[in-house]
Amino acid sequence: MVMKVKNCLKNLGIFIILFLVFLYKDLFYLIPLKLLNIDYESLSYNTELLLSIVSSLIVVLIVVIVYHKYLKEKIIDYKKNYSKYLDLGLKYYLVGLFGMFAFNLLIALLSPVKEANNEVLVQEMLKESPLLSFISASIIAPFLEEMLFRKSFGDIFKNKKLMVVASGLFFGLLHVIFSMETPW
């Protein structure tokens, strides 16, 4: 029992450190800019986005170093069971797509706010810089989110149902808190 508690606290500590690195990832480029006396406000949108991607890649590297054994096991397993995972992934994708459609419809009907702030920001990014936005929103962000909210929470909570609820609530809460303008 003592070992389980120690292991849980260790995993919680790893999550907190990785989460803080993720949350403050922009410091990886803001500090060098400040040291070089470069005004962040004078940078172009594409330069800002590129710097953000570079800082996100630094976080990806840190996450890969921390979870390299786990990732290696998963890659080997994926190679062995590729067709099973592809079939399962397609089924979950379709269920998720339908669920997203249904919940967006429900939110649109019940909420006075027609578009979430997070959604507006993503659409603006796509208009300004499609390639960099695609890399950021479709490759880097999902990897970091999966590792932080699925792997880390899976290590902390051994009960899968509790892990899904806790990680889902925390993940959703972060999206709401950082884009909240109204209670809706």
Side-chain angles (χ1 to χ4, degrees):
M1 182 66 177
V2 172
M3 196 62 164
K4 284 184 180 182
V5 171
K6 282 183 181 180
N7 198 29
C8 182
L9 289 175
K10 175 188 148 204
N11 291 329
L12 181 61
I14 291 170
F15 167 73
I16 290 170
I17 291 168
L18 290 177
F19 179 71
L20 289 173
V21 168
F22 172 74
L23 200 58
Y24 295 107
K25 70 183 181 306
D26 291 343
L27 292 177
F28 288 120
Y29 70 85
L30 290 174
I31 291 172
L33 289 177
K34 185 71 171 168
L35 292 173
L36 295 170
N37 287 328
I38 298 172
D39 182 26
Y40 175 77
E41 300 295 325
S42 67
L43 300 175
S44 72
Y45 183 80
N46 284 340
T47 304
E48 290 176 24
L49 190 55
L50 187 60
L51 288 171
S52 180
I53 288 173
V54 169
S55 65
S56 293
L57 288 173
I58 293 170
V59 178
V60 166
L61 180 64
I62 293 168
V63 168
V64 167
I65 290 169
V66 170
Y67 291 128
H68 70 278
K69 289 179 185 173
Y70 170 81
L71 290 169
K72 187 176 179 180
E73 290 172 10
K74 289 298 176 183
I75 289 169
I76 291 169
D77 179 47
Y78 182 76
K79 286 180 180 178
K80 287 180 185 175
N81 300 301
Y82 175 80
S83 61
K84 180 179 107 178
Y85 288 128
L86 188 63
D87 184 47
L88 191 62
L90 184 60
K91 289 176 186 174
Y92 282 125
Y93 173 77
L94 292 174
V95 169
L97 192 63
F98 176 75
M100 185 178 71
F101 174 76
F103 280 108
N104 281 339
L105 185 62
L106 185 65
I107 290 169
L109 292 173
L110 299 177
S111 171
V113 178
K114 294 304 171 201
E115 280 188 305
N117 190 36
N118 193 34
E119 182 66 25
V120 172
L121 291 173
V122 170
Q123 288 175 8
E124 286 175 11
M125 277 176 40
L126 283 169
K127 286 178 191 171
E128 290 286 328
S129 184
L131 180 62
L132 293 176
S133 298
F134 174 79
I135 291 168
S136 178
S138 300
I139 299 170
I140 296 172
F143 174 79
L144 288 175
E145 291 168 354
E146 282 296 308
M147 295 307 293
L148 284 173
F149 297 102
R150 184 176 303 214
K151 169 65 176 133
S152 294
F153 273 72
D155 288 347
I156 296 167
F157 300 102
K158 296 305 175 192
N159 180 317
K160 280 194 175 194
K161 290 179 183 176
L162 182 60
M163 183 277 290
V164 168
V165 170
S167 67
L169 286 174
F170 192 74
F171 179 75
L173 183 65
L174 285 176
H175 279 78
V176 171
I177 285 177
F178 291 123
S179 65
M180 189 169 352
E181 292 178 359
T182 70
W184 284 101

